[in-house]
Amino acid sequence: MRRGDDDRAETVDRGRFPDARTPWDDPDRRAEALDWATGRLAAHGLRESGRRQVRLRPWSVLVRFSVDGGRGDRQVWFKAVPPAAAFEAGLTAGLAAWVPDHVLAPLAVDAERGWCLLPDGGPLFRQVLDEGAGTLADWEDALRRYAVMQRALVPYAEKVTGLGVPSARPLELPGLFDTLLAENEALTGEERAVLEALRPRLVEWCAELAAVGVADSLDHADLHDGQLFRPAPGRFTFFDWGDALVGHPFSSLLVPARSAEDRFGPQALTRLRDAYLEPWTGDGIAAGDLRRAVSLAWRLAALGRAASWGRMFPAPVAAAAPGGAETAHWLRELHCEPPM
């Protein structure tokens, strides 16, 4: 395809960031991405058959292609991420090899450029919940399955970090805290002083969490109800790994538990914790210690969320919204007593 040859109609969604510049705004880079995506579609016997839907955010470019491969129209998704999350493409391919029953298998990956071409995964879990076809029991089932996947990924933790996924293991978190605090200019002087005073306790929490004995694994770090598919009752597919970390697996529980709490109320929290912990029992760790680990990891997960925003909006930009404000928000969360 030559630049300017593709005049297919597009619908573009820029969300809350109408002024953000992305690679899609550069005609040459857009043409390069489209050449790659349409070429890979053709390799699978697919061709475009309708309007493209383009979703632009500072942290990703997402393009939905309507395609026809002889079995009627369906959807295929192209995703490009910035250098700070370029590991997502290679991680997506790795997960498809290591835990294929839990993730989407990409149609094509360019790990060097951070590009993926993915099949449609079916209805989002959020859509199922909004339509009244999902319950809290479905969230419990999803978290059990997610925990099973995390356990299966424990032997691959070093391979995951080798793909460029950031490491945020418990004993590394004090250093991450120091970096985040030093680089964030959105905190007031008083807030900074309070956080600095919290550091000795944070070091103790990290040491206690590490001592529980649960092995490090992959942490999705942003597993809300819009980050997993539910194609059929009892089936869940996890996707969107741009915020992923290698660290204590229980830190994953913060975001989905809050997502479910917003919909089902605080009574959901204990049920979700217990469902998530079921696959982790039987390894000689007392149930009380596992619950204590959830409480510690819940609080420390705020550092992973802060670090993700810091990567996408690195200093000195991190001082401005949304990066600086979001990073500061998650640092303040360290003061919040875990609800479980």
Side-chain angles (χ1 to χ4, degrees):
M1 184 198 326
R2 297 184 305 274
R3 177 179 167 182
D5 283 355
D6 185 53
D7 58 357
R8 186 176 300 279
E10 294 179 349
T11 299
V12 179
D13 167 19
R14 293 181 179 270
R16 296 185 292 115
F17 307 93
D19 300 323
R21 299 290 296 176
T22 74
W24 203 252
D25 299 303
D26 181 320
D28 291 321
R29 297 179 71 182
R30 181 169 66 248
E32 181 185 8
L34 286 172
D35 272 346
W36 181 84
T38 55
R40 299 310 181 276
L41 288 173
H44 286 274
L46 303 172
R47 58 181 176 82
E48 288 193 77
S49 59
R51 178 186 294 267
R52 295 184 190 125
Q53 305 290 327
V54 182
R55 181 182 181 273
L56 302 179
R57 299 292 187 267
W59 51 84
S60 69
V61 171
L62 192 63
V63 183
R64 185 180 72 181
F65 294 99
S66 293
V67 298
D68 181 7
R71 293 181 295 170
D73 286 349
R74 49 192 170 121
Q75 311 300 319
V76 173
W77 301 83
F78 166 80
K79 185 174 185 180
V81 293
F87 61 80
E88 183 177 0
L91 177 60
T92 298
L95 293 175
W98 302 327
V99 286
D101 293 339
H102 300 280
V103 299
L104 290 176
L107 299 175
V109 165
D110 187 322
E112 184 175 346
R113 291 189 285 192
W115 293 352
C116 279
L117 196 65
L118 296 160
D120 188 69
L124 289 174
F125 187 34
R126 177 176 295 167
Q127 177 185 342
V128 173
L129 292 169
D130 287 345
E131 293 172 351
T135 66
L136 180 57
D138 289 307
W139 253 127
E140 292 176 278
D141 192 18
L143 288 177
R144 286 189 196 95
R145 293 173 185 270
Y146 175 71
V148 168
M149 181 186 71
Q150 285 185 300
R151 285 178 60 87
L153 287 170
V154 166
Y156 298 98
E158 294 306 321
K159 288 186 177 181
V160 172
T161 54
L163 294 171
V165 177
S167 178
R169 293 167 168 86
L171 296 182
E172 297 169 341
L173 293 179
L176 177 59
F177 170 82
D178 293 340
T179 299
L180 292 167
L181 198 59
E183 292 182 350
N184 188 277
E185 298 177 14
L187 295 165
T188 67
E190 181 179 357
E191 288 173 331
R192 190 176 302 278
V194 171
L195 284 167
E196 288 172 349
L198 184 67
R199 190 184 191 280
R201 292 184 63 199
L202 184 143
V203 171
E204 292 175 356
W205 295 332
C206 293
E208 183 181 356
L209 181 60
V212 171
V214 175
D216 297 321
S217 186
L218 184 65
D219 172 9
H220 184 289
D222 194 25
L223 190 64
H224 54 72
D225 53 19
Q227 304 280 45
L228 66 158
F229 298 111
R230 203 207 71 167
R235 290 182 55 201
F236 296 92
T237 304
F238 306 98
F239 73 101
D240 199 343
W241 300 96
D243 292 304
L245 302 164
V246 173
H248 198 286
F250 293 6
S251 292
S252 290
L253 193 57
L254 170 66
V255 172
R258 285 189 168 178
S259 180
E261 182 185 19
D262 288 343
R263 191 179 294 267
F264 297 106
Q267 66 274 12
L269 295 178
T270 300
R271 286 181 57 178
L272 292 176
R273 179 200 64 191
D274 292 347
Y276 174 77
L277 286 178
E278 283 180 22
W280 297 100
T281 60
D283 290 338
I285 302 175
D289 290 338
L290 290 174
R291 291 192 292 270
R292 173 60 178 165
V294 165
S295 181
L296 292 165
W298 176 291
R299 175 170 247 151
L300 294 168
L303 289 173
R305 299 298 303 130
S308 177
W309 282 98
R311 289 196 306 275
M312 295 303 168
F313 299 90
V317 180
E326 289 287 346
T327 302
H329 162 77
W330 285 107
L331 288 171
R332 295 184 194 106
E333 286 278 315
L334 289 166
H335 293 292
C336 298
E337 192 69 27
M340 299 186 288

